[in-house]
């Protein structure tokens, strides 16, 4: 009995020390702590879609919110000593009145690490209004934040919002509460919600080692694939870990994937899959702070709608032209093998082959990431490796997304130059 009591006491002490150490990560720091190389980069971002009812989801974005607090759980790819949050009303048809916004380190679930919760301001005020069809950055908040931390960003809206711009498929549990619960640290009163709402980005003021932001752009294979929930196993998350594990120059990583998204066309009647990749590149890729490179891996849903190879390739050319017009390099990711999946046909296989051959050999991209080769079965380049297959022959599992991240040439990204 004494041994068990001693063990319990030790565990309590260790837990308290761990919470204290985490709290020290997020205590306010003087803005003057920045070196001359400090810059704003987007450490987390999520592409937005119009608020709508999603047949199989409990996300309330279609009906909208009134006197509710959304508590978003957000995994940041880079650290810094100032933070600012971008509120989103991207597809809203009316202004959204925001009563209070807080940021804190996540302890677990909806609970914050004690001592880390801070109120954000907008032009010096806690209250703000996000214009219809627009977004709005908070004032910078001095806050020392480590890379690969998880933040809670809580937003209270008092008046009826109408349909809310959101990110519907997250592989992350988020939270919703009645009234203004932004200052709550225990998580009491919050219930689960599957989507990110009202927040589209977190910028950090990063030091000299972080040279900019790389945007990973695509569909569900970039967005979430079929990865373990609440575990940050998306390929951009693994890429962020690789970048942070080194000692040289690094990059923040933004996930601009949208589940179900197509490159060259919208999906009629299904706004929760978002506007086409070609039409959203300016906002979702070039609109990120410090953007230095883009990795494009999209087109499998177009093949699933039987789009011809020449149309998909024309979409790539249009995408590349838009990114190059801003002086940013864009790297082409080959499409993952999909034979055996529900969308496979011999004709679509021929399209896949033609598209991947063009990505690899056309020279239109500034470089190539051969995701297909990295995830294919040994001896069968048309099929996902069983070790990487989530079970549907199309989406990679956690090991598959890790293999994708490992296929990225970090030296190529660090170069950050157009051909």
């Amino acid at each position: 009995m004494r041994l068990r009591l001693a063990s319990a006491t030790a565990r309590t002490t260790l837990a308290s020390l761990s919470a204290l150490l985490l709290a020290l990560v997020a205590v306010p720091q003087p803005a003057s702590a920045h070196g001359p190389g400090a810059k704003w980069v987007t450490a987390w971002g999520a592409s937005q879609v119009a608020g709508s009812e999603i047949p199989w989801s409990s996300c309330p974005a279609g009906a909208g919110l009134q006197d509710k607090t959304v508590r978003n759980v957000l995994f940041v790819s880079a650290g810094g000593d100032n933070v600012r949050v971008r509120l989103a009303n991207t597809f809203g048809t009316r202004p959204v009145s925001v009563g209070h916004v807080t940021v804190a380190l996540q302890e677990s679930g909806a609970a914050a690490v004690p001592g880390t919760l801070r109120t954000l301001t907008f032009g010096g005020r806690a209250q703000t209004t996000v214009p219809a069809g627009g977004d709005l950055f908070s004032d910078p908040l001095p806050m020392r934040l480590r890379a690969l931390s998880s933040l809670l960003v809580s937003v209270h809206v008092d008046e009826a919002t109408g349909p809310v711009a959101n990110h519907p498929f997250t592989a992350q549990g988020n939270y919703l509460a009645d009234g203004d619960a932004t200052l709550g640290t225990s998580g009491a009163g919050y219930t689960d919600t599957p989507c990110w709402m009202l927040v589209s980005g977190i910028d950090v003021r990063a030091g000299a080692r972080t040279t900019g932001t790389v945007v990973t752009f695509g569909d569900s294979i970039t967005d979430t694939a079929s990865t373990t929930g609440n575990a940050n196993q998306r390929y951009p998350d693994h890429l962020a870990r690789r970048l942070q594990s080194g000692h040289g120059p690094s990059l923040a990583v933004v996930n601009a994937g949208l589940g179900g998204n197509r490159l060259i066309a919208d999906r009629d009647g299904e706004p929760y899959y978002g506007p086409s990749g070609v039409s959203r590149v300016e906002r979702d890729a070039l609109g990120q702070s410090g953007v230095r490179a883009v990795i494009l891996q999209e087109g499998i849903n177009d093949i699933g709608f039987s789009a011809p190879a020449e149309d998909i390739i024309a979409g790539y050319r249009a995408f590349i032209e838009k990114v190059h017009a801003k002086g940013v390099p864009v790297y082409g990711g080959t499409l993952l093998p999909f034979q055996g999946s529900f969308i496979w046909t011999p004709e679509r296989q021929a399209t896949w082959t033609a598209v991947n051959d063009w990505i690899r050999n056309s020279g239109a991209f500034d470089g190539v990431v051969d995701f297909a080769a990295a995830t294919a079965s040994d001896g069968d380049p048309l099929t996902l490796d069983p070790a990487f297959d989530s079970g549907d022959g199309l989406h990679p599992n956690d090991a598959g997304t890790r293999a994708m991240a490992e296929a990225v040439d970090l030296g190529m990204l660090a170069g950050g130059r157009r051909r």
Side-chain angles (χ1 to χ4, degrees):
M1 178 64 72
R2 287 178 181 172
L3 286 174
R4 284 196 294 271
L5 285 171
S7 298
T9 301
R11 286 195 298 272
T12 301
T13 302
L14 286 172
S16 298
L17 286 172
S18 296
L20 177 60
L21 288 171
L22 283 170
L24 289 173
V25 174
V27 297
Q29 302 292 322
S32 61
H34 299 299
K39 65 192 73 63
W40 287 110
V41 298
T42 302
W44 175 88
S47 299
Q48 301 294 291
V49 304
S52 68
E53 300 296 332
I54 304 173
W56 60 90
S57 173
S58 61
C59 177
L65 305 171
Q66 183 173 11
D67 196 21
K68 298 281 188 182
T69 299
V70 179
R71 179 158 281 185
N72 300 284
V73 182
L74 312 174
F75 180 68
V76 295
S77 61
D81 57 12
N82 267 242
V83 174
R84 64 184 184 186
V85 170
R86 186 172 61 222
L87 301 183
N89 190 16
T90 312
F91 298 98
T93 58
R94 67 177 86 165
V96 170
S97 176
V98 174
H100 198 192
V101 184
T102 61
V103 61
L105 279 175
Q106 183 193 32
E107 184 174 60
S108 64
V113 173
T116 67
L117 189 142
R118 301 285 181 269
T119 291
L120 293 171
T121 59
F122 301 82
R125 302 180 59 199
Q127 296 179 325
T128 192
T129 299
V130 189
D135 56 20
L136 185 67
F137 272 115
S138 71
D139 299 330
L141 174 71
M143 178 180 184
R144 188 169 295 281
L145 179 67
R146 288 180 180 168
L148 312 180
S149 302
S150 289
L151 290 180
L152 302 177
V153 176
S154 306
V155 184
H156 173 243
V157 290
D158 41 14
E159 301 172 3
T161 61
V164 175
N166 67 102
H167 187 93
F169 313 120
T170 64
Q172 174 63 62
N174 302 285
Y175 302 95
L176 193 64
D178 293 330
D180 184 354
T182 55
L183 292 174
T185 58
S186 70
Y190 280 99
T191 57
D192 294 341
T193 192
C195 48
W196 288 315
M197 291 179 283
L198 302 172
V199 176
S200 62
I202 295 177
D203 281 10
V204 299
R205 184 81 168 171
R209 180 172 178 252
T210 302
T211 60
T213 302
V214 56
V215 178
T216 59
F217 195 103
D219 48 40
S220 59
I221 292 172
T222 298
D223 188 11
T224 62
S226 292
T227 57
T228 302
N230 301 327
N232 305 310
Q233 294 291 306
R234 313 162 192 88
Y235 112 71
D237 300 333
H238 290 301
L239 179 59
R241 293 185 184 97
R242 284 192 67 205
L243 286 161
Q244 291 299 324
S245 67
H247 299 288
S250 186
L251 293 164
V253 181
V254 169
N255 186 335
L258 276 175
N261 197 234
R262 292 186 62 185
L263 176 72
I264 61 174
D266 297 355
R267 294 179 59 164
D268 291 341
E270 298 174 314
Y272 37 84
Y273 293 131
S276 71
V278 170
S279 69
R280 65 187 180 92
V281 60
E282 290 91 349
R283 177 180 63 250
D284 292 350
L286 300 174
Q288 308 299 336
S289 298
V291 61
R292 184 178 173 87
V294 178
I295 301 174
L296 173 63
Q297 205 276 343
E298 187 162 25
I300 198 67
N301 290 320
D302 299 275
I303 291 176
F305 276 82
S306 298
E310 54 267 29
D311 288 0
I312 298 171
I313 290 168
Y316 290 142
R317 291 192 183 278
F319 189 104
I320 293 166
E321 182 179 359
K322 290 183 177 187
V323 178
H324 280 177
K326 298 298 184 180
V328 176
V330 54
Y331 305 110
T334 53
L335 305 182
L336 271 59
F338 75 116
Q339 184 167 285
S341 74
F342 71 97
I343 67 170
W344 187 89
T345 67
E347 294 77 17
R348 291 171 180 170
Q349 183 64 68
T351 300
W352 178 92
T353 299
V355 166
N356 273 356
D357 285 348
W358 186 87
I359 292 171
R360 290 184 178 112
N361 301 313
S362 68
F365 288 102
D366 296 285
V368 173
V369 183
D370 203 341
F371 293 126
T375 57
S377 296
D378 288 342
D380 183 4
L382 306 184
T383 304
L384 270 178
D385 187 322
F388 299 153
D389 188 353
S390 66
D392 64 2
L394 181 65
H395 295 93
N397 57 18
D398 295 356
T401 55
R402 188 179 302 111
M404 290 179 67
E406 290 171 354
V408 178
D409 181 346
L410 300 188
M412 177 180 73
L413 291 186
R417 294 187 299 271
R418 287 196 40 205
R419 283 179 175 170

